[in-house]
Amino acid sequence: MGLKIYLDGAFVDEEEAKVSVFDHGVLYGDGIFEGIRAYNGRVFKLNEHVDRLFNGSRAIMLEPPVSKEEMKEIVLETLRRNSLKDAYIRLVVTRGKGDLGLDPDKCPKPTLFCIAAGIQMYPEELYENGLEVVTVPTRRNTPETVNPQMKSLNYLNSIMAKLEAKLAGVEEAIMINNEGYVAEATGDNIFIIRKGRLVTPPAFLGILEGVTRNTVMELAEKRNIPVEEKVFTRYDVYSADECFLTGTAAEVIPVTKVDGRTIGSGKPGEITRTLIQDYKELTKSTGTEIFL
Ligand code: PMP
C-alpha cells in the first residue's frame, strides 16, 4: 500500500499527491522545507523544526497557510494516517501557483504538503569506522546571496557539491565558503574536536543552523566538554583530533578521512562516540507523542 500524503488540507494517496507545473516551488525553488524524524512513536524536536520553517518563511515573505500549532498537528496526523512510529518527515511550503514570471505577488495561495516515509540512513559500518569526505570546488552560498540559514527549496548549491563528491568517489562533501572557511556538508553540519574542545562554524557564516547541531552542542555542554562556535579552515580539519557531521537523517556520523588525509587515529574518536550514544539516548527518550 502506498503512502498517505498531506496536501493542502487533505490526505491523498501518493499517486494523487501532485502539485502544479505552475507552482513556483517547482519553477523557481521558491519555498521552504524541513526534514524531521520520528523515533518510537515520538517526533524529535518538532517545535524547533517548525520554528525554523516559520523563520525561513518570514525571511522570504511567504506566509504559511496554517499556524505553527496546526503545522505540528499536520505532522502528527500524517504519521498516524501512515501508522508510522519511526519515520523521516518532509514538510514543505511553496509559494504556490503563479504565472511564468518571478513575481511572488502573483501566487495567491501557498502550497503545503507533508510526507512521512521510512528512513534511509548511512550503513551501520560507517558509524563504526567513519565516513570519507572531500572538499569540493563549489563554494557555499554566502549569507548575502541565498543565505543557507534558510532551508529553502533551492538546493542546487548543495546538489552541485554532492555531484562533485560523487565524482571524487565519496558520498559527502565539505563545503568551503568564499573566504576559505569551512561551512558545512551538503546536508549536514560539521564539528571538529581539538584538545578536547568541540568547534563548529557559527550560523552567521552562512550555514543551516541544524537542529541536530544545536542538540549536540547541548549534549556536549552537559558533559562539560567545551564548545566553541568559531570559523576554521581546511587545515584545522586535516589536523583535528576528531571530526563528525550532524543532521536529522545522519544523526551524528564520524568522519575519518578528508581529502585523503586521515583524521586523528583514523577511527572514530572517544568524544564522537560518546556524543553518538548520548544523541541516540535522547532521541529514544524525548519528543512529541504521536499517539498512534
Ligand atoms: N546543513 C544542511 C545544508 C542541511 O540541509 C541540513 C539538514 N538536512 C543540515 C545542515 C542539518 O540540519 P538538521 O540537524 O536540522 O537536520
Side-chain angles (χ1 to χ4, degrees):
M1 214 181 62
L3 297 172
K4 291 281 182 207
I5 313 288
Y6 173 90
L7 175 61
D8 289 334
F11 284 91
V12 295
D13 290 336
E14 71 178 77
E15 296 78 26
E16 306 304 318
K18 292 175 181 158
V19 297
S20 166
V21 293
F22 292 98
D23 193 303
H24 280 207
V26 178
L27 287 173
Y28 299 118
D30 186 354
I32 302 284
F33 75 103
E34 268 305 321
I36 311 170
R37 282 280 288 275
Y39 293 89
N40 197 26
R42 289 203 190 107
V43 181
F44 189 62
K45 301 277 177 189
L46 182 56
N47 289 332
E48 285 79 354
H49 285 285
V50 169
D51 282 348
R52 187 170 67 185
L53 184 80
F54 273 71
N55 288 340
S57 301
R58 183 170 294 206
I60 67 163
M61 300 175 85
L62 168 62
E63 193 170 340
V66 298
S67 68
K68 281 189 185 179
E69 284 313 307
E70 288 165 332
M71 192 76 88
K72 288 177 214 168
E73 189 47 39
I74 287 167
V75 170
L76 296 171
E77 187 58 22
T78 307
L79 289 159
R80 289 182 204 121
R81 297 274 180 134
N82 290 282
S83 305
L84 283 167
K85 281 186 164 180
D86 293 272
Y88 182 81
I89 302 138
R90 177 55 52 88
L91 191 55
V92 183
V93 51
T94 81
R95 191 73 66 179
K97 254 197 281 185
D99 64 17
L100 291 178
L102 290 176
D103 189 355
D105 288 340
K106 303 234 172 96
C107 307
K109 193 172 148 288
T111 302
L112 173 63
F113 58 89
C114 182
I115 309 167
I119 320 143
Q120 257 201 317
M121 296 259 304
Y122 283 121
E124 189 52 40
E125 180 265 323
L126 289 179
Y127 291 86
E128 277 150 31
N129 297 324
L131 188 65
E132 176 175 2
V133 301
V134 292
T135 57
V136 289
T138 294
R139 294 294 176 246
R140 193 68 173 140
N141 284 335
T142 53
E144 55 289 342
T145 57
V146 181
N147 193 332
Q149 281 182 273
M150 306 183 295
K151 201 164 167 58
S152 90
L153 287 180
N154 198 317
Y155 249 53
L156 270 180
N157 186 223
S158 279
I159 291 166
M160 292 293 287
K162 183 87 173 175
L163 284 171
E164 289 158 358
K166 296 195 81 166
L167 284 169
V170 300
E171 285 301 315
E172 186 52 285
I174 292 179
M175 300 181 76
I176 310 294
N177 74 6
N178 271 337
E179 292 167 298
Y181 295 122
V182 171
E184 60 182 330
T186 65
D188 291 309
N189 291 113
I190 184 167
F191 285 79
I192 55 172
I193 297 165
R194 179 186 288 280
K195 295 201 171 85
R197 305 174 80 83
L198 234 57
V199 189
T200 196
F204 68 77
L205 197 67
I207 60 162
L208 187 75
E209 190 178 338
V211 172
T212 319
R213 166 192 184 271
N214 292 352
T215 305
V216 164
M217 288 166 72
E218 283 168 19
L219 289 171
E221 274 159 7
K222 275 209 186 106
R223 284 199 176 262
N224 293 321
I225 300 167
V227 184
E228 290 174 299
E229 290 181 83
K230 223 172 68 173
V231 296
F232 56 88
T233 64
R234 266 192 297 199
Y235 169 79
D236 299 305
V237 181
Y238 299 156
S239 57
D241 300 323
E242 301 180 34
C243 176
F244 62 82
L245 306 181
T246 62
T248 295
E251 302 181 339
V252 180
I253 185 154
V255 171
T256 46
K257 208 176 230 192
V258 181
D259 294 338
R261 279 79 159 175
T262 298
I263 306 302
S265 66
K267 284 273 171 198
E270 184 84 33
I271 295 178
T272 304
R273 283 188 283 125
T274 301
L275 291 170
I276 290 174
Q277 278 316 316
D278 286 358
Y279 187 78
K280 269 199 199 311
E281 286 302 315
L282 194 70
T283 58
K284 267 192 222 157
S285 57
T286 59
T288 308
E289 190 92 45
I290 303 168
F291 293 115
L292 266 170

